[in-house]
Amino acid sequence: MISLNPVTIKKIKRFRSIKRGFWSFVILSLMIFFSFFAEAFINSRALLVYYNGTLYFPTYTTMIPGSVFNLGYEYETNYRDLKKKFETSSNFVILPPVPYNPYENDLKLNSYPPFPPSFKEKHFLGTDNVGRDILARLVYGFRTAILFSFVLLIMNYSVGITIGCSMGYFGGKFDLIFQRIIEIWNNVPFLYVIIIIASIVIPNFMILLLIMAFFGWIGITWVMRTMTYKEKEREYILAVRSLGASHARIIFKHIIPNTISVIVTYAPFAISGGIVALTSLDYLGFGLPAPTPSWGELLSQGWQNMEAWWIVSSVVAALVTTLMTVTFIGEGIREAFDPKLHTIYE
């Protein structure tokens, strides 16, 4: 059993009382849950196939060739065609609400994409300029962006908090050396580094993550350095130091837990920053390689096809909704966890 500190419980209850932040948290959590199980809602594979007394679950299994269903080919089954074939038999196919994957080109005879939204064809937000479903690419692109932001947050916080606390705690030459290192690091043009690396190798998820983490830890480092400078002079730190506590114990058991409100407050804004950074790089063409679902790539398509209003309006609405909910969560956490707003001095 996990037992929470009464002060922490009070802060959580305070956050729940801030309706805008709490409901934004609920909406964002549902969006993340939906995106991580997107294959069950948006996918060209069927959820269930009943064929000659046997049940098949293609969504989360290996590829099932068409020959299994007597279609006469060895590549993956086209489940939309299979459903039409089974209409006059006792066999049946259950498809997801959006029966397209984000990489699939759905083209029409004597017509060129992008195609407008169509409920009949289940392209609820239309298609892009090569016939791929916009809704599928939005949802899978959100999953990529939010996963990228969370991993980047963990990497930046792991490095930044450790170095920042060490700078503030030890001070002296250690602090001066790292200050100079950070000042040099800040002057390295981040975008130029991306351009140079993209010209040498095709950037993938891990390469972009490492590059952004290479520069992204600086912000939280300065914050933690300042907070540690303040905390290390307080009476409780002097008391545990006089009792013989080690430096590592003082930092990780006392200083960091007492600065957790600052760490938690900055986290939502760091996540939104990661989403915007990845979207911007994809828009400029230095992000994830094609055909990876990406909001930035959709924005670029919307700019190039202004007459296809459904492309740019869909991705802008998704961006605004996501960034707004993350911002409201950050504001709610800051208000709930800020001790200055809820402390009475006697």
Side-chain angles (χ1 to χ4, degrees):
M1 294 293 291
I2 299 175
S3 59
L4 296 177
N5 188 299
V7 177
T8 304
I9 295 174
K10 186 180 293 186
K11 290 178 179 178
I12 293 173
K13 289 181 178 179
R14 197 181 295 144
F15 175 73
R16 292 185 63 182
S17 68
I18 304 169
K19 299 301 182 183
R20 184 173 63 180
F22 175 72
W23 285 110
S24 295
F25 175 77
V26 172
I27 292 170
L28 185 64
S29 299
L30 290 174
M31 290 169 63
I32 293 173
F33 176 83
F34 179 78
S35 70
F36 276 88
F37 292 94
E39 287 81 4
F41 306 99
I42 304 172
N43 197 0
S44 58
R45 290 184 173 185
L47 299 175
L48 173 66
V49 177
Y50 176 80
Y51 179 66
N52 293 342
T54 305
L55 292 175
Y56 298 87
F57 300 91
T59 302
Y60 290 104
T61 59
T62 57
M63 183 271 290
I64 302 176
S67 57
V68 173
F69 305 111
N70 198 27
L71 295 176
Y73 54 80
E74 293 300 324
Y75 51 87
E76 185 166 14
T77 304
N78 186 320
Y79 294 99
R80 295 193 299 274
D81 291 344
L82 185 65
K83 184 176 183 178
K84 293 177 182 178
K85 180 181 177 181
F86 285 174
E87 285 178 352
T88 57
S89 67
S90 59
N91 302 316
F92 62 87
V93 177
I94 299 177
L95 292 172
V98 180
Y100 303 96
N101 67 58
Y103 305 100
E104 184 179 10
N105 304 100
D106 186 29
L107 303 176
K108 300 178 183 178
L109 188 64
N110 299 324
S111 185
Y112 297 96
F115 302 122
S118 171
F119 280 80
K120 180 181 179 182
E121 298 175 358
K122 296 190 176 181
H123 287 301
F124 298 109
L125 296 179
T127 70
D128 64 6
N129 59 1
V130 292
R132 296 173 300 199
D133 188 78
I134 294 290
L135 180 57
R137 292 188 68 79
L138 276 177
V139 173
Y140 284 82
F142 171 77
R143 181 166 69 182
T144 302
I146 203 71
L147 182 62
F148 182 90
S149 299
F150 273 113
V151 176
L152 182 64
L153 175 72
I154 293 170
M155 294 174 70
N156 286 340
Y157 270 38
S158 299
V159 177
I161 291 173
T162 303
I163 294 177
C165 285
S166 300
M167 290 171 64
Y169 182 79
F170 295 109
K173 292 182 179 179
F174 182 87
D175 185 30
L176 289 173
I177 291 171
F178 266 95
Q179 283 188 56
R180 303 294 83 78
I181 292 173
I182 292 175
E183 288 169 2
I184 295 170
W185 226 269
N186 266 328
N187 289 322
V188 176
F190 166 71
L191 185 58
Y192 287 173
V193 173
I194 293 286
I195 294 172
I196 292 169
I197 293 176
S199 65
I200 300 172
V201 296
I202 298 175
N204 56 28
F205 186 91
M206 188 54 63
I207 290 175
L208 284 176
L209 195 61
L210 291 174
I211 294 171
M212 294 188 68
F214 204 63
F215 296 94
W217 55 272
I218 297 173
I220 190 65
T221 300
W222 285 123
V223 174
M224 292 306 299
R225 173 183 176 272
T226 303
M227 294 299 298
T228 304
Y229 259 123
K230 292 172 60 178
E231 290 295 321
K232 76 171 185 177
E233 299 300 330
R234 295 187 183 276
E235 289 80 1
Y236 73 94
I237 297 294
L238 299 176
V240 295
R241 185 182 295 167
S242 65
L243 292 173
S246 65
H247 296 313
R249 182 177 180 83
I250 292 173
I251 291 174
F252 291 103
K253 293 289 186 179
H254 297 283
I255 292 179
I256 291 180
N258 281 283
T259 58
I260 195 69
S261 61
V262 176
I263 297 172
V264 172
T265 298
Y266 272 81
F269 302 106
I271 291 172
S272 64
I275 294 173
V276 171
L278 183 62
T279 302
S280 303
L281 289 174
D282 289 334
Y283 176 80
L284 294 172
F286 302 117
L288 298 172
T292 307
S294 164
W295 287 4
E297 186 261 346
L298 281 175
L299 275 177
S300 179
Q301 283 196 39
W303 176 255
Q304 297 168 14
N305 302 274
M306 293 299 291
E307 70 282 356
W309 54 268
W310 55 89
I311 299 178
V312 68
S313 60
S314 298
V315 68
V316 167
L319 262 174
V320 169
T321 302
T322 303
L323 297 179
M324 189 179 297
T325 54
V326 172
T327 301
F328 287 162
I329 292 170
E331 291 177 350
I333 291 174
R334 182 171 57 190
E335 185 175 339
F337 280 72
D338 190 355
K340 294 180 181 178
L341 296 177
H342 306 283
T343 302
I344 299 173
Y345 294 96
E346 295 182 356

